[in-house]
């Protein structure tokens, strides 16, 4: 029931409230005397060169896409893992295991394809 | 009672974060506001007793999809947008007026067509929103659609590799 989650929301409120209060309190109470050298981005003691905004290669995006696909796969496995004992008790444990194995094999084909095509390599 | 307070707190924060997405001039700030918005919506799911969807909302949307959004922002190398037109009381008043009229019209049309959502009893929602209930129908009754989801994900993987690994012509 929803009432079970009230302690969770209270903890969330305390945790975020405490961290925000500490950050803001430090900013308000502490002395602040910025100068140009102090607010400069730290780049190993050198003066910063160029902009921090750079274009990234599409390869990173490919890895992120593949990550999402397998993330969604794992999401579908959570409910199965939770009610595995229920399925066994209902006598359909093996059938459901078969369904899940077919699902994993379908996605494993994608993983093998990625590896063969070199989708997970950086060159 | 606590549920209603929580609903309004989360709903108002979600709307404020949504306004923040549109209002902020740096794409990275927009993305951060969107994360707050997604978290609030996950909280709303929790108040509706849909625990599984709430956790998935945080794991997949606030986690993985946001990473993709950040990649797109960095890929396109977006910089700060020019600042929005000045904010005046008349514009604010007009905004709330238009939103109010829109909400009223939507409600009237929905009530006229009889498509208003039915009130859900929390006890029924608690039964239907839990992961074990979901698993019971997903892996038995809807096993074929579940495998089709697998094929859809396979197509997404293969498509991503084909598009990103294409040899420049």
């Amino acid at each position: 029931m929803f009432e079970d989650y009230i302690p969770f929301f209270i903890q969330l409120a305390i945790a975020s409230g405490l961290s925000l209060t500490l950050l803001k309190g430090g900013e308000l109470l502490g002395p602040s005397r910025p100068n140009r050298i102090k607010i400069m981005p730290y780049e190993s003691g050198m003066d910063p060169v160029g902009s921090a905004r750079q274009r990234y290669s599409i390869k990173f995006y490919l890895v992120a896409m593949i990550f999402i696909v397998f993330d969604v796969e794992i999401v579908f496995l959570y409910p199965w893992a939770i009610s595995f004992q229920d399925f066994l008790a209902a006598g359909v444990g093996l059938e459901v295991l078969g369904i899940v194995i077919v699902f994993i094999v379908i996605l494993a084909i994608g993983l093998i394809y990625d590896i063969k095509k070199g989708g997970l390599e950086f060159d | 009672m606590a549920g209603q307070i929580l609903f309004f707190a989360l709903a108002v924060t979600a709307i404020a974060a949504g306004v923040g997405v549109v209002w902020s001039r740096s794409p990275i700030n927009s993305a951060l506001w969107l994360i707050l918005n997604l978290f609030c919506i996950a909280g709303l799911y929790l108040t509706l007793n849909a625990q599984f969807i709430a956790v998935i909302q945080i794991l997949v949307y606030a986690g993985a999809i946001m990473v993709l959004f950040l990649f797109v922002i960095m890929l396109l190398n977006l910089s700060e947008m020019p600042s929005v037109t000045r904010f005046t009381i008349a514009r604010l008043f007009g905004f709330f007026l238009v939103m109010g009229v829109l909400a009223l019209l939507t409600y009237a049309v929905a009530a006229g067509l009889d498509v208003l959502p039915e009130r859900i009893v929390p006890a029924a929602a608690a039964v239907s929103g839990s992961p074990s209930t979901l698993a019971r129908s997903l892996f038995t009754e809807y096993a074929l659609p579940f495998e089709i989801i697998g094929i859809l994900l396979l197509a997404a993987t293969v498509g991503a590799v084909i598009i990103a690994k294409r040899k420049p012509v």
Side-chain angles (χ1 to χ4, degrees):
Chain A
M1 292 303 288
F2 161 68
E3 278 71 30
D4 299 341
Y5 290 94
I6 289 178
F8 164 72
F9 280 108
I10 292 173
Q11 194 197 6
L12 193 70
I14 292 175
S16 52
L18 183 68
S19 48
L20 286 176
T21 314
L22 289 178
L23 273 176
K24 202 67 200 169
E27 190 187 314
L28 289 177
L29 295 176
S32 170
R33 284 185 283 279
N35 61 36
R36 208 180 63 81
I37 308 282
K38 275 188 190 170
I39 62 174
M40 192 186 272
Y42 182 71
E43 216 170 81
S44 306
M46 309 291 286
D47 286 351
V49 180
S51 163
R53 300 272 163 83
Q54 288 184 344
R55 290 186 73 162
Y56 281 71
S57 168
I58 188 104
K59 285 170 196 145
F60 293 104
Y61 193 73
L62 180 63
V63 173
M65 277 279 300
I66 293 169
F67 163 68
I68 286 191
V69 168
F70 292 104
D71 197 28
V72 173
E73 176 194 356
I74 295 303
V75 159
F76 279 110
L77 296 186
Y78 280 130
W80 172 66
I82 286 171
S83 40
F84 185 64
Q85 295 293 342
D86 297 348
F87 285 132
L88 279 184
V92 290
L94 283 179
E95 291 171 42
V96 173
L97 182 67
I99 290 168
V100 171
I101 286 176
V102 170
F103 181 71
I104 293 174
V105 166
I106 290 173
L107 284 158
I109 295 170
L111 183 63
I112 293 167
Y113 180 83
D114 283 349
I115 293 171
K116 291 278 179 200
K117 276 276 183 180
L120 298 175
E121 286 167 19
F122 288 98
D123 44 24
Chain B
M1 191 58 213
Q4 281 176 353
I5 295 171
L6 202 55
F7 169 78
F8 280 108
L10 286 169
V12 167
T13 319
I15 292 174
V19 171
V21 173
V22 188
W23 201 268
S24 54
R25 294 292 90 196
S26 160
I28 300 283
N29 285 354
S30 287
L32 290 174
W33 281 115
L34 189 56
I35 291 176
L36 180 61
N37 179 278
L38 293 172
F39 267 95
C40 289
I41 290 174
L44 285 177
Y45 286 142
L46 211 51
T47 64
L48 293 172
N49 281 310
Q51 305 96 345
F52 185 67
I53 305 288
V55 173
I56 295 314
Q57 170 86 6
I58 291 176
L59 275 184
V60 175
Y61 277 83
I65 304 279
M66 281 315 299
V67 172
L68 275 193
F69 278 21
L70 286 177
F71 270 122
V72 170
I73 290 169
M74 295 197 299
L75 216 59
L76 295 177
N77 199 12
L78 297 173
S79 48
E80 300 266 327
M81 312 285 275
S83 87
V84 277
T85 45
R86 282 195 64 99
F87 164 92
T88 60
I89 295 295
R91 281 220 173 91
L92 193 69
F93 182 71
F95 175 77
F96 283 114
L97 200 65
V98 168
M99 283 322 213
V101 170
L102 181 70
L104 206 63
L105 280 177
T106 317
Y107 180 78
V109 169
L113 297 175
D114 202 20
V115 289
L116 284 179
E118 284 176 32
R119 279 185 147 261
I120 294 177
V121 189
V127 173
S128 67
S130 73
S132 45
T133 322
L134 192 93
R136 215 169 299 134
S137 49
L138 184 67
F139 296 111
T140 54
E141 199 179 338
Y142 297 103
L144 183 65
F146 173 63
E147 304 296 359
I148 293 173
I149 292 170
I151 303 213
L152 180 68
L153 290 174
L154 174 67
T157 333
V158 173
V161 172
I162 284 179
I163 291 171
K165 280 278 160 180
R166 191 166 42 192
K167 294 270 185 298
V169 185

